Amino acid sequence: MGRKGTERIPARWPDNVRYITQPQYHASVPAHIRSFIGTDSSRASHKSHAPQSFVSIQLITTPSHPAYGQRGLFATKKIPPRTLILDYIGEVHCDDRPDSDYDLSLYRTPDYVSVGVDAQRAGNEARFINDYRGVQAKPNALFQERRTDTGELRMSVWSGSEAIKKGDELLISYGKSWWKERRGQSACDAQ
């Protein structure tokens, strides 16, 4: 896997996933939805996807961690409360992706068209954020929609109401429905 332009591929990046710093748009996204999302190429920014480099990808080496042997996202410095950490970058799409564990909901139109961001085959560091369950008592980060300086709608990762310490893993809540779908159990059991 080579470099594209001046983009640097992060350490511990998997060979089977393309590293990207800007969203890609699948053919399933109609023009009127692209317009709402704000993908006008004349306004496109070529700035980094994150305001600062707050994170690094690390191998999970704790045997009791639910993602043992996989990767996680860790703070490289103290992250203040309610701070934008990075955008969740991947392929923006309007088709169904039931087999992807990296597909987030970005937007639902008034006529019930779902727009997602899938980082299974191409994405950025945010794809390595793990769920807090089985690791700590509560998440220290969250997903939140935002508009970039150029007006593009993004799903972003923010720190929660408390600072994240240097060296801590960034952990969010995938939601009970995510676990229900993967485990085939009731949402009440997916705590």
Side-chain angles (χ1 to χ4, degrees):
M1 188 160 90
R3 286 183 165 70
K4 183 179 180 183
T6 59
E7 295 170 12
R8 293 191 57 192
I9 298 171
R12 291 169 287 286
W13 189 263
D15 291 335
N16 63 337
V17 178
R18 194 161 39 93
Y19 180 70
I20 58 175
T21 60
Q22 296 294 322
Q24 298 180 335
Y25 288 83
H26 187 263
S28 63
V29 183
H32 73 282
I33 292 177
R34 283 184 188 225
S35 177
F36 173 79
I37 292 172
T39 60
D40 178 357
S41 61
S42 67
R43 297 183 304 174
S45 170
H46 296 287
K47 292 180 182 178
S48 173
H49 59 285
Q52 296 179 27
S53 179
F54 284 120
V55 297
S56 70
I57 302 163
Q58 301 292 329
L59 187 65
I60 304 292
T61 58
T62 306
S64 62
H65 193 296
Y68 174 68
Q70 299 174 42
R71 294 170 179 91
L73 200 60
F74 289 78
T76 58
K77 57 182 86 169
K78 181 181 176 183
I79 303 172
R82 296 176 187 82
T83 298
L84 171 62
I85 300 170
L86 75 168
D87 292 331
Y88 190 91
I89 302 293
E91 184 177 52
V92 179
H93 66 92
C94 291
D95 57 349
D96 194 27
R97 308 236 172 142
D99 297 327
S100 177
D101 285 339
Y102 298 89
D103 192 19
L104 293 180
S105 176
L106 176 63
Y107 175 71
R108 186 178 302 263
T109 69
D111 54 345
Y112 305 104
V113 174
S114 292
V115 181
V117 180
D118 187 0
Q120 180 154 328
R121 293 185 184 92
N124 69 344
E125 297 91 334
R127 75 185 299 279
F128 296 104
I129 295 176
N130 289 312
D131 189 83
Y132 77 97
R133 291 167 180 84
V135 182
Q136 64 185 37
K138 64 181 183 176
N140 59 10
L142 54 106
F143 287 121
Q144 185 174 322
E145 290 177 6
R146 77 174 183 102
R147 292 266 178 193
T148 65
D149 292 343
T150 61
E152 186 175 12
L153 182 64
R154 298 266 180 101
M155 185 57 68
S156 301
V157 179
W158 294 76
S159 56
S161 59
E162 298 175 17
I164 299 172
K165 297 177 194 164
K166 178 180 178 179
D168 280 357
E169 182 177 7
L170 275 66
L171 298 164
I172 57 125
S173 174
Y174 288 178
K176 291 180 182 181
S177 62
W178 190 91
W179 289 106
K180 179 182 173 185
E181 288 181 27
R182 272 125 192 104
R183 292 186 177 160
Q185 63 186 35
S186 72
C188 294
D189 296 336
Q191 297 179 30

